[in-house]
Amino acid sequence: MGGQEGAPARPPGAADDRPRRTPVEVPAGTLLDHHCHGVLRTDPGPAAFEAFLTEADGPAAPGTSFFDTQLGFAVRRWCPPLLGLEPHCTPERYLARRAELGAREATRLLLRGSGIGAYVMDTGLPGDITGPDELAELSGAPVHEIVRLERLAEFAADTTRDADAFLAELAARIRSAATTAVGFKSVAAYRYGLDLAPEPPALHEVRDAAANWLKKRPKGDRLKDPVLLRHLLWSAVATRLPLQLHTGFGDPDLRLHRCDPLLLTDFIRATRRSGTPLILLHGYPYHRNAAYLAHVYPHVYADMGLTLSHTGARAGAVLAEMLELTPFGKLLFSTDAYGLPELYVVGARLFREGLDELLGAWTTSGAWSHADAHRVTGLLSSENAQRVYA
């Protein structure tokens, strides 16, 4: 009672010198989401909504729901109040309220309530989703563009079957994108894996690979050739713009064991002299491996997007693991939100809550000063991304 066994009693009226927990909060509107996608223009039905709560490519098992996941619970915790409902309301009540408001108004309320003040958007996903200008209008915040390399190659391949013409068109598209976008992204992890040969392919290898792909390719077929994927990576490196690389988990289209960022080690070494920033996206469950690479290579950065959203109530623990080794100036905030504006809200809130919990505990224990905690909060929230993407 009244303290630890054997501890001397505090005299009546004595000052309480025990450290007090002081919140270390991320100010609203200061987050820079450096990796995200567009949102749906129309209101999804219940099944379509649930499909965005998982990386699975099929329905939930019979008798179950994707709302019964960490991400599903996080949506029901943080999103209903922004639409005038109580936290943790039923999925049915939430979706009914969303339908009452309509897709545009629900999206506007959710985005503007997310606390995100700027976006860097990957425009490479197909579908009836918003582009940068639409997202900027709905959110009331600036949106910058990241260009997906594989989509550039596929667009170029739709124009010709000649290898030399294809390579010329591809080079022109990369040059054009470099004048307007703030960076590039590759999904080679999905298309082949990260265990690519690290060196740039020779020109004759690229020409032969292009000729073979174009000859056999049905229109609209996705690029999977490892030589052409390497050519894309090195073409992006030559621009010196930041290059985002998918690592870690995603939908069943990938093979997770081939998405460990450690497989990029030789490529990272080969690109070091270029100075091109490499941002290792997502990472889970290899997030500690990404932290190591960011720790030892000056041009490598780590990201927390997607990971925090899907780990939900455990996001603080995963964020703590990322902060074990990642230099504080090299970890970037993102949501990787796609399709649902709710995913922006959840990604931002889980980051803010997790970081506040962590830094509050570390400052209370005396491990960190409050000044350092506030400074690191600013770095993770936006300053690192502002520096990397110039």
Side-chain angles (χ1 to χ4, degrees):
M1 296 175 59
Q4 294 179 345
E5 185 178 351
R10 181 174 283 100
D16 186 350
D17 59 358
R18 290 173 296 181
R20 298 179 182 274
R21 187 186 184 286
T22 302
V24 184
E25 296 180 345
V26 179
T30 61
L31 290 175
L32 196 167
D33 188 346
H34 90 101
H35 178 61
C36 60
H37 309 274
V39 296
L40 295 172
R41 295 190 176 101
T42 57
D43 194 36
F49 188 98
E50 275 198 51
F52 286 98
L53 303 181
T54 178
E55 289 297 311
D57 60 358
T64 71
S65 166
F66 288 128
F67 271 105
D68 284 337
T69 59
Q70 288 283 8
L71 177 53
F73 274 29
V75 167
R76 290 175 50 226
R77 165 62 183 93
W78 297 112
C79 298
L82 296 177
L83 302 187
L85 299 172
E86 70 281 4
H88 306 297
C89 68
T90 66
E92 293 77 15
R93 178 72 186 98
Y94 180 77
L95 293 178
R97 174 58 175 161
R98 206 180 188 280
E100 290 172 15
L101 292 167
R104 183 174 180 82
E105 179 62 7
T107 295
R108 189 186 69 82
L109 290 171
L110 290 163
L111 290 178
R112 297 192 180 209
S114 68
I116 298 172
Y119 302 84
V120 176
M121 178 180 169
D122 170 8
T123 55
L125 285 176
D128 187 23
I129 56 176
T130 56
D133 291 343
E134 293 169 282
L135 189 68
E137 179 186 356
L138 289 164
S139 67
V143 180
H144 308 278
E145 185 180 10
I146 289 286
V147 172
R148 189 176 292 206
L149 291 165
E150 290 80 8
R151 291 290 286 169
L152 290 183
E154 288 151 9
F155 288 144
D158 286 339
T159 67
T160 181
R161 293 279 182 173
D162 178 78
D164 289 325
F166 161 75
L167 293 174
E169 176 67 16
L170 175 59
R173 287 176 180 267
I174 291 174
R175 286 195 302 270
S176 177
T179 65
T180 57
V182 298
F184 291 98
K185 179 189 175 182
S186 171
V187 289
Y190 273 94
R191 304 299 181 80
Y192 179 82
L194 299 178
D195 46 344
L196 293 159
E199 68 278 356
L203 180 57
H204 70 88
E205 293 179 280
V206 176
R207 184 181 290 110
D208 290 347
N212 187 55
W213 181 51
L214 294 169
K215 182 174 64 174
K216 298 178 180 178
R217 176 184 185 257
K219 190 166 185 178
D221 187 46
R222 301 191 310 167
L223 174 62
K224 300 178 182 178
D225 183 272
V227 172
L228 294 179
L229 290 171
R230 288 162 56 206
H231 175 65
L232 289 176
L233 293 178
W234 281 98
S235 296
V237 167
T239 71
R240 304 293 178 91
L241 290 176
L243 174 57
Q244 299 179 350
L245 297 161
H246 180 99
T247 69
F249 84 120
D251 65 41
D253 200 28
L254 55 72
R255 296 293 178 266
L256 187 57
H257 69 286
R258 300 181 70 181
C259 298
D260 185 336
L262 290 180
L263 295 172
L264 289 167
T265 300
D266 288 339
F267 175 74
I268 289 170
R269 289 172 176 168
T271 57
R272 179 171 180 170
R273 293 182 63 183
S274 74
T276 299
L278 304 179
I279 301 99
L280 306 178
L281 300 174
H282 319 317
Y284 189 87
Y286 307 116
H287 49 289
R288 279 173 157 157
N289 296 354
Y292 159 75
L293 292 169
H295 183 91
V296 297
Y297 294 105
H299 63 309
V300 175
Y301 298 79
D303 159 77
M304 63 188 78
L306 191 65
T307 294
L308 299 190
S309 297
H310 279 277
T311 53
R314 288 282 296 167
V318 177
L319 181 57
E321 292 174 348
M322 299 191 79
L323 288 169
E324 290 169 351
L325 205 58
T326 312
F328 306 135
K330 300 183 78 180
L331 182 59
L332 280 63
F333 163 76
S334 79
T335 63
D336 193 36
Y338 165 55
L340 300 180
E342 283 85 353
L343 302 183
Y344 287 101
V345 175
V346 166
R349 288 307 303 240
L350 290 173
F351 166 67
R352 293 167 68 183
E353 294 291 314
L355 189 64
D356 177 51
E357 178 184 350
L358 284 177
L359 300 191
W362 294 346
T363 55
T364 297
S365 71
W368 284 34
S369 71
H370 286 290
D372 281 337
H374 282 288
R375 184 170 59 85
V376 170
T377 296
L379 291 174
L380 303 184
S381 299
S382 62
E383 292 166 23
N384 290 340
Q386 288 171 352
R387 176 175 12 95
V388 171
Y389 295 100

